[in-house]
Amino acid sequence: GQQLNQSPQSMFIQEGEDVSMNCTSSSIFNTWLWYKQEPGEGPVLLIALYKAGELTSNGRLTAQFGITRKDSFLNISASIPSDVGIYFCAGQRGYGNKLVFGAGTILRVKS
Amino acid sequence: DAGVIQSPRHEVTEMGQEVTLRCKPISGHNSLFWYRQTMMRGLELLIYFNNNVPIDDSGMPEDRFSAKMPNASFSTLKIQPSEPRDSAVYFCASNSAGGASTGELFFGEGSRLTVL
């Protein structure tokens, strides 16, 4: 079945540092999305990517849709304490297909 | 605007009891999804509805699980009888695209189920 490999599993960084995480797959996805989940809450959509090679920003967050369509990256610049949470990548093969989630990257920020 | 509303937020029950989780999607959204989240398996899609019709229930673990959507503003996920391995956080999500055409989902806050 379709699987997404998300890394790293967790990160503990100093406030102000930049963060990078990625997601890879052996299958092609036509949509990549990044969600953030805070404790006791449901996931919230951060960025959606629809074209190979696309680079999209949302404030301090930047995500890229890999040119091979088998990977995606999320970068957070100048991290702050409220960036703490679990970041999930998700992929969709095509219109009407189910969303597949990665296992998540746990981000902790030391202030 | 109200988001996806789930109830109860927490439920503790004993093995063998019936559990009913409820969801009110965002008004105007025509697709509704039930997910289960555990440490071991992450986020798993259980079932989704489009225009109140179940489209794909292949993720429903077994016959003890059932889901209904009697109208556009309400859905239930029922477990009967419940077992300790059903302990998880159950999320409801909705979107306004046709079926699962986009992955842009709006999640509720979840229902944390503990089966003793």
Side-chain angles (χ1 to χ4, degrees):
Chain A
Q2 304 167 21
Q3 285 192 332
L4 297 182
N5 300 308
Q6 190 170 348
S7 65
Q9 287 187 333
S10 65
M11 305 179 75
F12 190 16
I13 62 167
Q14 185 72 41
E15 181 178 359
E17 289 184 358
D18 296 343
V19 172
S20 291
M21 59 190 78
N22 69 79
C23 212
T24 62
S25 171
S26 57
S27 303
I28 288 174
F29 286 91
N30 289 309
T31 302
W32 285 92
L33 306 103
W34 287 90
Y35 284 83
K36 177 188 178 186
Q37 184 178 23
E38 297 186 10
E41 305 291 331
V44 174
L45 180 66
L46 298 174
I47 293 178
L49 303 157
Y50 295 102
K51 289 171 58 174
E54 180 180 354
L55 185 72
T56 297
S57 293
N58 177 6
R60 293 178 296 105
L61 278 60
T62 301
Q64 183 160 26
F65 191 144
I67 197 71
T68 65
R69 293 191 285 164
K70 292 183 179 181
D71 58 5
S72 180
F73 302 86
L74 176 70
N75 296 320
I76 305 173
S77 62
S79 58
I80 59 178
S82 62
D83 290 334
V84 163
I86 306 176
Y87 291 79
F88 291 98
C89 64
Q92 188 178 35
R93 289 194 68 184
Y95 189 94
N97 292 125
K98 289 188 287 191
L99 204 55
V100 178
F101 280 89
T105 294
I106 300 171
L107 177 64
R108 287 177 280 186
V109 179
K110 185 169 52 177
S111 54
Chain B
D1 288 343
V4 174
I5 299 172
Q6 291 186 245
S7 64
R9 289 295 311 275
H10 303 273
E11 175 138 355
V12 180
T13 191
E14 292 188 343
M15 182 173 63
Q17 296 298 306
E18 177 180 301
V19 173
T20 299
L21 307 177
R22 298 173 178 80
C23 176
K24 177 178 168 53
I26 292 173
S27 177
H29 283 188
N30 63 344
S31 295
L32 183 141
F33 306 78
W34 281 102
Y35 280 84
R36 178 172 67 177
Q37 185 177 39
T38 61
M39 289 292 292
M40 291 297 294
R41 301 174 69 89
L43 275 162
E44 301 174 278
L45 178 65
L46 301 178
I47 185 172
Y48 79 88
F49 295 83
N50 185 33
N51 293 324
N52 312 338
V53 176
I55 302 301
D56 185 345
D57 65 354
S58 60
M60 295 286 262
E62 48 198 273
D63 291 346
R64 297 184 298 105
F65 285 69
S66 63
K68 293 182 180 179
M69 191 165 185
N71 57 62
S73 59
F74 184 66
S75 176
T76 59
L77 178 67
K78 185 176 292 187
I79 308 171
Q80 181 184 22
S82 58
E83 297 182 3
R85 61 192 167 124
D86 301 331
S87 297
V89 182
Y90 291 82
F91 287 102
C92 177
S94 68
N95 73 7
S96 60
S101 58
T102 81
E104 298 183 21
L105 303 181
F106 294 81
F107 283 83
E109 294 183 315
S111 294
R112 180 175 294 277
L113 173 65
T114 302
V115 183
L116 303 174

